[in-house]
Amino acid sequence: MATIRDVARISGYSISTVSRVLNHKNYVSDEVRQSVQKVIDKLDYVPNDVARDLSRGKTMTIGVVMLDLLHPYYVDINVGIMSAAFEAGYTVMQLPSSYKNEQERSYLEQLRRKAFDGLIFTTHNIPVSEMLPYQKYGHIVVCHDPGDAPIDAAYSERGPSYEQAFNWIKSRHYQRIGLLLPRDPALSATSAETLTAYAQVFGAKPDRALTRYGTMTYADGYAAGEYYISNGLNPDFVFANGDDIATGLAQCYKDRGLRPPDLMGQDKQLSGQLLGIPTIDHHYHDVGAAALRLAIGASSGKHGVHSDFIAKR
Amino acid sequence: MATIRDVARISGYSISTVSRVLNHKNYVSDEVRQSVQKVIDKLDYVPNDVARDLSRGKTMTIGVVMLDLLHPYYVDINVGIMSAAFEAGYTVMQLPSSYKNEQERSYLEQLRRKAFDGLIFTTHNIPVSEMLPYQKYGHIVVCHDPGDAPIDAAYSERGPSYEQAFNWIKSRHYQRIGLLLPRDPALSATSAETLTAYAQVFGAKPDRALTRYGTMTYADGYAAGEYYISNGLNPDFVFANGDDIATGLAQCYKDRGLRPPDLMGQDKQLSGQLLGIPTIDHHYHDVGAAALRLAIGASSGKHGVHSDFIAKR
DNA sequence: TTGTACGCGTTATCAA
DNA sequence: TTGATAACGCGTACAA
């Protein structure tokens, strides 16, 4: 495999001249350029990207930490990240986390070791405070509202659409409202925002018995249905953390010959469209694109993306 | 930022000794090891990954070329790739293609430039013959049956399950069978295999008027429905290239107050489960895992994965 | 406009 | 067991 040195030696010019020819810059006479180019072509030479990165001190790569590759949240945010990355000439590394703190820390270490120029946590388990000391090694971005923490962030501004959604529910006078949420509100910003909006609109906390945490998938929704039914809880409306989840709940009732409660989903998935239920579009594509721009330093600060409540489909 | 040289200088030992301490290998006395480690800790030193990669001549990274990040084919295959990569200590770079030949060629060039150790084409537009000359730069893997071409491949063996599916259809005496396929059979192995299996089972080519190409999404399925209806084609059965697509077709009929034809999908998606239609599980997860093992050189050759026809859900 | 020489940060070989 | 030194391949001030 030919190196820049070979090209220099054979062409009779110096390494720097060859380098200049390669990078199309500075003063190189046409004559020399052509002569060098001829040798480059002849030797079938191409520069080594790793050597370049080392010399430049930059990899043009961004690491993206994600949890569940199958979840629509990640799929959508990834599309946004990728399109912005492509546009900016950056490459993206996928970094699986599984909520393992050790794993997340190792990615911070890799940032420090210059494996990539920036790091996006689409989700994370370690506290933001553990990330702060690593900011000197590259841009770190989280995908939720970081509050006062001094860290770049791109996230969907869920509060307003949640309030819209709950006002819509309230105006229809439902009495027993069930909530299917992701993780515990102490860990999940989504859960916390949902509860806040609920309290804001209804002036009270949701019924604890009708509230379920840890629902992420169709199967979880189905299981929630079994829980409601077997405990005779009879919610007349259920606000789910995703259209697929709402669909799972509905299916559970249908399979038992029961009429499901009225439903609302999130994430604007096909399943919810089929069911004809209201949903919330969190525009994760835009969140991803914003996150990438933060990660490459093209912007900075907090970047909230408004989500849309969609009553009719 | 401290380098290995700083550690050597301050600890009073040589660069090589520090390197040995870092890589936990060879002969280093406990005494020296501790002494050096102390300086490493004090300087908060970590090795630079790029310099390592350059020196080792290996990046432990695999590039994955993909077309549509939202399509279940890619989402599933990606999960398989990622889990196998994690297990093997490799990292994955996402490389978007959009069927642009120039783009695909640039990834081959990047392989040559040592940007990654191996390259997986989950899909591609350039001919395999263009890839062959690049095999000397690293393992290249395609995700379809390459026939006699000397290239590593992981793919789902669709033929048998397609025959099963068509036999199932045949046994039910449908008369007007529609096919919703991806790209033209000259370009798409999937389309070609479908037509082959059809001919095998029915002893005839499918009705051209009832066959549609370029159907990839729910919307395409819906459009196919409009085509069937507005042209009065009345298929009594439609074999679609995906559950979502079949669902789009069904929805089109329903929206017009018509009874949809009987359906069969693929990819074992939620939408098909809701519809209760037969499907085919291509086990893309396994395909992805096999592709990655080929890309890192842990195996070689052609690796077909059997798909399953699922009549009842 | 071209060349020299050093820096980027490690790993690896071979001598001591 | 430790150290000097040469790769690894390229970019870039600075000199010529």
Side-chain angles (χ1 to χ4, degrees):
Chain A
M1 183 200 47
T3 77
I4 196 172
R5 242 176 288 275
D6 299 325
V7 178
R9 187 168 35 77
I10 295 179
S11 70
Y13 291 92
S14 71
I15 291 182
S16 6
T17 300
V18 177
S19 176
R20 280 190 283 264
V21 171
L22 285 175
N23 299 296
H24 307 286
K25 67 177 179 190
N26 295 344
Y27 319 90
V28 188
S29 72
D30 268 4
E31 201 178 358
V32 174
R33 178 181 301 281
Q34 289 182 20
S35 167
V36 169
Q37 188 62 51
K38 199 168 288 177
V39 177
I40 288 176
D41 295 343
K42 185 171 149 201
L43 292 186
D44 211 31
Y45 163 81
V46 278
N48 178 307
D49 276 348
V50 181
R52 265 198 168 157
D53 288 348
L54 176 61
S55 188
R56 290 190 175 131
K58 231 185 161 201
T59 60
M60 296 299 278
T61 294
I62 300 295
V64 176
V65 180
M66 74 281 158
L67 179 63
D68 181 358
L69 291 168
L70 291 169
H71 196 283
Y73 168 71
Y74 177 72
V75 172
D76 289 349
I77 211 170
N78 186 38
V79 170
I81 288 174
M82 287 303 292
S83 66
F86 184 77
E87 199 173 317
Y90 273 78
T91 306
V92 169
M93 314 209 73
Q94 292 189 111
L95 310 174
S97 99
S98 348
Y99 279 143
K100 293 275 184 290
N101 288 6
E102 269 324 303
Q103 198 60 49
E104 296 181 8
R105 289 194 191 101
S106 90
Y107 295 135
L108 289 169
E109 280 298 315
Q110 285 186 46
L111 176 67
R112 183 165 161 229
R113 298 160 72 133
K114 305 284 181 191
F116 23 77
D117 299 343
L119 190 52
I120 298 173
F121 283 96
T122 64
T123 180
H124 61 92
N125 201 43
I126 58 173
V128 169
S129 59
E130 274 198 52
M131 302 176 188
L132 302 182
Y134 286 87
Q135 288 181 304
K136 61 181 163 205
Y137 304 114
H139 297 282
I140 301 179
V141 182
V142 295
C143 293
H144 63 84
D145 188 340
D148 293 334
I151 192 164
D152 288 330
Y155 50 90
S156 76
E157 200 92 79
R158 297 187 179 86
S161 60
Y162 279 178
E163 286 186 26
Q164 269 188 276
F166 284 127
N167 274 314
W168 184 93
I169 294 170
K170 186 181 184 185
S171 72
R172 276 161 181 73
H173 308 293
Y174 290 103
Q175 297 302 312
R176 297 179 55 72
I177 300 168
L179 299 178
L180 302 186
L181 300 171
R183 294 183 297 162
D184 188 89
L187 296 168
S188 158
T190 305
S191 292
E193 286 175 280
T194 309
L195 296 179
T196 302
Y198 187 99
Q200 183 78 24
V201 171
F202 290 101
K205 286 192 175 179
D207 185 333
R208 186 63 192 84
L210 294 175
T211 305
R212 298 260 295 180
Y213 293 104
T215 54
M216 304 295 285
T217 66
Y218 173 88
D220 295 333
Y222 200 96
E226 289 174 330
Y227 163 78
Y228 285 148
I229 294 170
S230 67
N231 290 290
L233 292 168
N234 299 319
D236 55 0
F237 194 92
V238 175
F239 177 83
N241 182 40
D243 286 359
D244 280 0
I245 299 168
T247 302
L249 183 81
Q251 194 61 40
C252 177
Y253 278 79
K254 287 179 194 160
D255 284 352
R256 284 158 186 69
L258 301 171
R259 183 172 170 284
D262 286 351
L263 293 163
M264 180 181 297
Q266 290 180 58
D267 296 347
K268 205 184 171 196
Q269 294 169 269
L270 177 54
S271 57
Q273 181 178 327
L274 298 175
L275 231 48
I277 60 176
T279 193
I280 297 172
D281 184 352
H282 291 300
H283 299 300
Y284 290 130
H285 182 287
D286 297 338
V287 172
L292 188 111
R293 283 191 292 270
L294 290 166
I296 66 177
S299 71
S300 68
K302 308 202 323 185
H303 196 298
V305 173
H306 276 281
S307 52
D308 287 325
F309 170 59
I310 301 172
K312 268 197 123 59
R313 305 204 153 175
Chain B
M1 184 200 49
T3 77
I4 196 173
R5 242 176 286 276
D6 300 326
V7 178
R9 187 169 35 77
I10 296 179
S11 68
Y13 290 92
S14 71
I15 291 182
S16 355
T17 300
V18 176
S19 177
R20 278 191 284 264
V21 171
L22 285 175
N23 298 296
H24 306 287
K25 66 177 178 190
N26 296 343
Y27 319 91
V28 188
S29 71
D30 268 3
E31 203 178 357
V32 174
R33 179 180 300 281
Q34 289 183 19
S35 167
V36 169
Q37 188 61 50
K38 200 167 287 179
V39 176
I40 289 176
D41 295 342
K42 184 169 149 203
L43 292 186
D44 211 29
Y45 162 81
V46 279
N48 178 308
D49 277 349
V50 181
R52 261 195 172 160
D53 288 348
L54 175 61
S55 189
R56 290 189 175 133
K58 231 185 162 203
T59 59
M60 296 298 280
T61 294
I62 300 296
V64 176
V65 181
M66 74 280 159
L67 179 63
D68 181 357
L69 292 169
L70 291 169
H71 197 283
Y73 168 72
Y74 177 71
V75 172
D76 290 347
I77 211 170
N78 186 38
V79 170
I81 288 174
M82 288 302 291
S83 66
F86 184 78
E87 199 173 318
Y90 273 77
T91 306
V92 169
M93 314 210 72
Q94 293 189 108
L95 310 173
S97 99
S98 351
Y99 278 143
K100 293 275 183 290
N101 288 5
E102 270 323 303
Q103 198 59 49
E104 297 181 6
R105 290 193 191 100
S106 91
Y107 295 135
L108 288 170
E109 281 297 317
Q110 285 186 47
L111 177 67
R112 184 166 161 227
R113 298 161 72 131
K114 304 285 181 190
F116 23 76
D117 298 343
L119 191 51
I120 298 174
F121 283 96
T122 64
T123 180
H124 62 93
N125 202 42
I126 59 173
V128 168
S129 60
E130 273 198 53
M131 301 178 189
L132 301 182
Y134 285 87
Q135 287 180 304
K136 61 180 163 207
Y137 305 115
H139 297 281
I140 301 179
V141 181
V142 295
C143 293
H144 62 84
D145 189 339
D148 292 333
I151 193 164
D152 289 329
Y155 49 91
S156 77
E157 200 92 80
R158 296 186 180 85
S161 60
Y162 280 177
E163 286 188 26
Q164 268 188 279
F166 284 127
N167 273 315
W168 185 93
I169 295 170
K170 186 182 183 185
S171 71
R172 275 161 183 72
H173 308 294
Y174 289 104
Q175 298 301 314
R176 298 180 54 72
I177 300 168
L179 299 179
L180 302 186
L181 301 170
R183 294 182 298 162
D184 188 89
L187 295 169
S188 159
T190 305
S191 292
E193 287 175 279
T194 309
L195 296 179
T196 302
Y198 186 100
Q200 182 78 24
V201 170
F202 291 100
K205 286 191 176 179
D207 185 334
R208 185 65 191 83
L210 295 174
T211 305
R212 298 261 294 181
Y213 293 104
T215 52
M216 304 295 285
T217 66
Y218 172 88
D220 296 332
Y222 200 99
E226 290 173 330
Y227 163 77
Y228 285 147
I229 294 169
S230 66
N231 289 291
L233 291 168
N234 298 320
D236 55 1
F237 194 92
V238 174
F239 177 84
N241 181 40
D243 286 358
D244 280 1
I245 298 167
T247 302
L249 183 83
Q251 193 62 40
C252 177
Y253 277 78
K254 287 179 194 160
D255 285 353
R256 283 157 185 70
L258 300 171
R259 184 172 168 285
D262 286 350
L263 293 163
M264 181 181 297
Q266 289 179 59
D267 298 348
K268 205 185 172 195
Q269 295 168 270
L270 178 55
S271 58
Q273 180 178 328
L274 299 175
L275 232 47
I277 60 176
T279 194
I280 297 171
D281 184 350
H282 291 299
H283 299 300
Y284 291 130
H285 181 285
D286 296 338
V287 172
L292 188 112
R293 284 190 292 269
L294 289 166
I296 65 177
S299 70
S300 67
K302 308 203 324 185
H303 196 297
V305 172
H306 275 281
S307 51
D308 288 324
F309 170 59
I310 300 172
K312 268 199 124 59
R313 303 216 173 169

